[in-house]
Amino acid sequence: MSIQVKNLLKEYGEQKAVNQLSFTASKGEIVGFLGPNGAGKSTTMKIITGYLQPTAGEAWVCGINVNESPLESKKKIGYLPELNALYYDMYVREYLSFIAGLHQLSDTKAAVEKVIETVGLTPESKKKIGQLSKGYKQRVGLAAALIHEPEVLILDEPTSGLDPNQIIEIREVIRKQGQDKTVLFSSHILQEVEAICDRVIIINKGNLVADDTLTNLRKSASGEVVSVSFKETVERSLLEKLPAVKELIKNEANNWQLATHDSDQLRKQILALALQHNLNIVSLQSENQSLEDIFRSLTKKES
């Protein structure tokens, strides 16, 4: 396993930022690391990268114990932290040459040119970092994480500050890197995670609440989803009483999303309800749960 975390615990006084967390990630796998603000995502990433010491538990990167051999493990990791610390008075190429030097790369110039092209920094590469937009500063941080060709990428909110076109470009960079690396990245843009992740890990209040493929999560979370729109306003209690309803997931105006384990039966019950109460149905359909729905359901249960 490229990343292995076992019984990780991080305490700040009486607060447990990470609570007995265990998971693994393999080469060629892109894993989305999700959770609400304060769930312990950044803390976990800082422990894996050796920037924080755990209270208990262990982490390995490419078979190297992070606590016992921090320098050796860091050589295997490319890390983009949530707060992307950069030297604003340095030029882009100057900064990346500095990072390449820290990694003791044999051909600094070639490494810098390659990574600039990889992350799409070429148009801004002759500027000082302080002159760049937030999106291009983020690209500089990503370039610094990639320049030494690490086996493991730890990316904390890598698309923060990027416009929609830049997000698509960086998504492709991450997807390409994930072909021969292990990528663990956090994001609050759940559509982004759905677009590129093989697997999702969800934590809440430091606890693991899900670790599976998106396909399996959709199957196990709350079964199927039926979406129904009424012309009239419908009382919540009427829908809650339908036998096939497991949970009311979402309500916006007269539009409802209902979790069920039998979508066919639920649609029949909704039609019967409409006839009984003289309601007009605008639309009625079954659909897969989105990652947003699954995320809300799992983290709400643990709150």
Side-chain angles (χ1 to χ4, degrees):
M1 297 293 175
S2 296
I3 299 174
Q4 186 176 4
V5 169
K6 186 175 181 181
N7 298 328
L8 212 58
L9 174 68
K10 182 62 179 178
E11 294 177 326
Y12 294 100
E14 296 182 357
Q15 181 186 359
K16 292 181 179 180
V18 179
N19 186 23
Q20 300 296 325
L21 187 62
S22 299
F23 64 85
T24 62
S26 303
K27 181 178 179 180
E29 193 173 26
I30 302 177
V31 180
F33 194 41
L34 309 179
N37 288 332
K41 303 185 301 297
S42 294
T43 299
T44 302
M45 289 179 157
K46 288 175 182 176
I47 292 173
I48 294 171
T49 54
Y51 286 83
L52 273 180
Q53 291 292 313
T55 305
E58 294 179 293
W60 292 266
V61 173
C62 299
I64 301 169
N65 189 299
V66 173
N67 290 336
E68 295 176 358
S69 306
L71 289 179
E72 288 303 311
S73 65
K74 283 183 172 68
K75 292 176 183 178
K76 304 288 186 179
I77 300 171
Y79 177 41
L80 176 63
E82 183 179 13
L83 298 176
N84 186 10
L86 300 168
Y87 295 108
Y88 283 10
D89 288 334
M90 296 181 76
Y91 289 91
V92 172
R93 280 188 168 83
E94 180 186 13
Y95 173 73
L96 293 176
S97 294
F98 167 67
I99 298 298
L102 291 178
H103 288 291
Q104 300 179 337
L105 302 184
S106 58
D107 193 341
T108 297
K109 185 176 180 180
V112 169
E113 294 305 320
K114 180 180 178 181
V115 79
I116 282 175
E117 183 177 352
T118 297
V119 303
L121 265 173
T122 304
E124 306 292 305
S125 61
K126 295 182 180 179
K127 291 183 179 180
K128 283 188 175 182
I129 294 173
Q131 297 174 318
L132 301 179
S133 67
K134 184 178 179 181
Y136 274 106
K137 287 172 183 171
Q138 196 72 352
R139 290 185 189 223
V140 174
L142 183 56
L146 290 170
I147 196 165
H148 60 297
E149 295 286 349
E151 295 180 42
V152 172
L153 274 179
I154 308 289
L155 308 175
D156 200 351
E157 300 288 343
T159 56
S160 174
L162 304 184
D163 64 39
N165 290 330
Q166 292 173 328
I167 287 174
I168 292 172
E169 292 168 5
I170 296 302
R171 178 196 300 171
E172 291 306 312
V173 172
I174 295 172
R175 183 182 284 119
K176 186 175 180 180
Q177 294 297 319
Q179 292 175 359
D180 59 1
K181 292 179 174 59
T182 303
V183 181
L184 179 70
F185 86 99
S186 71
S187 177
H188 285 108
I189 306 173
L190 300 185
Q191 298 93 328
E192 197 66 23
V193 176
E194 286 185 294
I196 65 174
C197 282
D198 307 305
R199 189 172 121 231
V200 172
I201 294 170
I202 303 177
I203 64 173
N204 191 34
K205 295 183 178 179
N207 297 297
L208 182 72
V209 296
D211 180 0
D212 213 332
T213 64
L214 282 169
T215 300
N216 288 340
L217 281 176
R218 288 191 177 103
K219 288 179 180 177
S220 62
S222 295
E224 301 171 272
V225 174
V226 171
S227 293
V228 58
S229 296
F230 297 96
K231 188 175 181 180
E232 301 83 5
T233 300
V234 178
E235 291 294 326
R236 181 186 183 94
S237 59
L238 286 177
L239 295 171
E240 285 180 325
K241 291 177 182 177
L242 295 176
V245 170
K246 181 182 179 185
E247 180 185 0
L248 299 182
I249 299 175
K250 192 184 297 182
N251 169 227
E252 296 175 357
N254 298 330
N255 305 314
W256 296 85
Q257 280 193 338
L258 315 171
T260 179
H261 286 305
D262 191 339
S263 59
D264 290 337
Q265 188 64 27
L266 179 56
R267 286 198 301 269
K268 291 177 183 178
Q269 291 172 8
I270 291 171
L271 290 171
L273 177 74
L275 287 171
Q276 182 181 353
H277 294 274
N278 295 317
L279 300 172
N280 293 289
I281 296 176
V282 178
S283 67
L284 177 61
Q285 59 186 1
S286 300
E287 57 188 44
N288 289 325
Q289 272 197 290
S290 68
L291 181 57
E292 179 184 354
D293 295 329
I294 295 169
F295 178 87
R296 290 177 63 202
S297 176
L298 289 171
T299 55
K300 183 174 63 176
K301 288 176 183 177
E302 294 293 322
S303 297

